[in-house]
Amino acid sequence: AEPVQAATCTVTSALDDGSIAGTLRMLLADAGCDTVNFDSDYTIYLASTLTLDRSVTIDGAGRTVVISGDSNNDGTADVQPFHVDAGVTAAIQNLTVTKGQSAGNGGGIYNAGTLTVTGVTLLANRAADYCYGGAIFNDVGASLTVMNSSILNNNAYYGVGIYNDDNATLAVTNSTFSGNIAMTGGAVGRVAVSRNSRYAEGDWVLHQLGWREWALSDGATLRRLDASLAPVSTARNCPISFLRTR
């Protein structure tokens, strides 16, 4: 028997439609495509997550390829761009993953398999509230290698750029992390509504609920600030938020 030759398939359309030939979504569903490349520069606005359920390489080399989770191109992140299933060995290289918004962990990429990310810009992705991995979430037992990549302006409560879970393997070389923002940490807030006898509406407090316009607290971790002693902004160099206490 002749050896099976690895097949390279080429994206020829920016549409996100698995029923149309030449789209990234259709080629990823084609088990005959071992490597997927691109015949031109493309920005692909995803209507839903691209799930990698088989071993495959996605390579934007020589092109400007943007995979965006902003489904309708209105400037708002909508969906998580990539999910790598357990047992899959995949590579994503030489492209940009941006405007991802996960319903849980992993704003840009959720990895449960073995993933190599090379020459990729992960830009302005966001994990869901109280979740992990603004750019990439590396799940329990998964393996992630990141090389020559840029992780920029991503957002999460924990693991802003990359979150490496228990018993997961992570190797990062020659890569840049910049402008990533954690949504936990100290901030000054003012109590807007209170059902807690320790805090009255209008009280200024220091909290650990992150930088946000509104937050909900049971009051356990709040510390009341005395605005007569000094401006409340001196308590912590953080924005002001408003809290509802239970």
Side-chain angles (χ1 to χ4, degrees):
E2 294 185 0
V4 176
Q5 299 297 314
T8 297
C9 302
T10 301
V11 174
T12 59
S13 170
L15 296 176
D16 181 38
D17 189 332
S19 67
I20 296 178
T23 62
L24 177 59
R25 192 174 294 276
M26 172 170 271
L27 296 181
L28 290 176
D30 184 346
C33 298
D34 299 292
T35 298
V36 177
N37 61 15
F38 300 80
D39 74 341
S40 187
D41 299 343
Y42 289 111
T43 297
I44 300 173
Y45 299 100
L46 299 177
S48 61
T49 299
L50 292 169
T51 298
L52 305 187
D53 57 5
R54 62 181 185 86
S55 297
V56 66
T57 295
I58 304 170
D59 189 359
R63 309 294 183 186
T64 300
V65 176
V66 178
I67 309 299
S68 175
D70 179 2
S71 301
N72 53 5
N73 191 23
D74 67 352
T76 300
D78 297 299
V79 301
Q80 178 188 74
F82 289 103
H83 186 288
V84 181
D85 283 353
V88 168
T89 298
I92 300 172
Q93 50 201 46
N94 303 311
L95 51 77
T96 295
V97 178
T98 190
K99 295 289 179 67
Q101 169 69 63
S102 60
N105 297 320
I109 302 172
Y110 186 108
N111 178 46
T114 299
L115 175 64
T116 301
V117 173
T118 307
V120 172
T121 297
L122 288 133
L123 173 66
N125 301 286
R126 186 182 190 280
D129 286 356
Y130 306 107
C131 289
Y132 298 72
I136 306 175
F137 179 83
N138 198 35
D139 204 356
V140 175
S143 177
L144 173 64
T145 301
V146 178
M147 299 181 292
N148 304 322
S149 294
S150 297
I151 294 85
L152 310 173
N153 302 335
N154 300 284
N155 185 288
Y157 276 72
Y158 311 95
V160 185
I162 299 173
Y163 186 86
N164 194 51
D165 212 341
D166 295 340
N167 299 314
T169 301
L170 172 64
V172 180
T173 58
N174 197 33
S175 295
T176 299
F177 292 76
S178 179
N180 301 293
I181 299 175
M183 291 302 288
T184 56
V188 172
R190 193 167 198 178
V191 177
V193 178
S194 180
R195 296 180 182 176
N196 188 317
S197 61
R198 291 177 295 171
Y199 301 100
E201 294 178 8
D203 280 352
W204 289 100
V205 294
L206 182 66
H207 64 84
Q208 299 294 319
L209 297 170
W211 301 358
R212 53 174 68 210
E213 185 175 358
W214 294 91
L216 177 66
S217 171
D218 63 4
T221 61
L222 302 183
R223 179 165 65 86
R224 185 182 290 104
L225 300 175
D226 188 343
S228 68
L229 298 178
V232 294
S233 59
T234 63
R236 187 71 62 90
N237 186 23
C238 296
I240 302 299
S241 60
F242 294 88
L243 291 91
R244 181 191 299 268
T245 60
R246 294 183 285 190

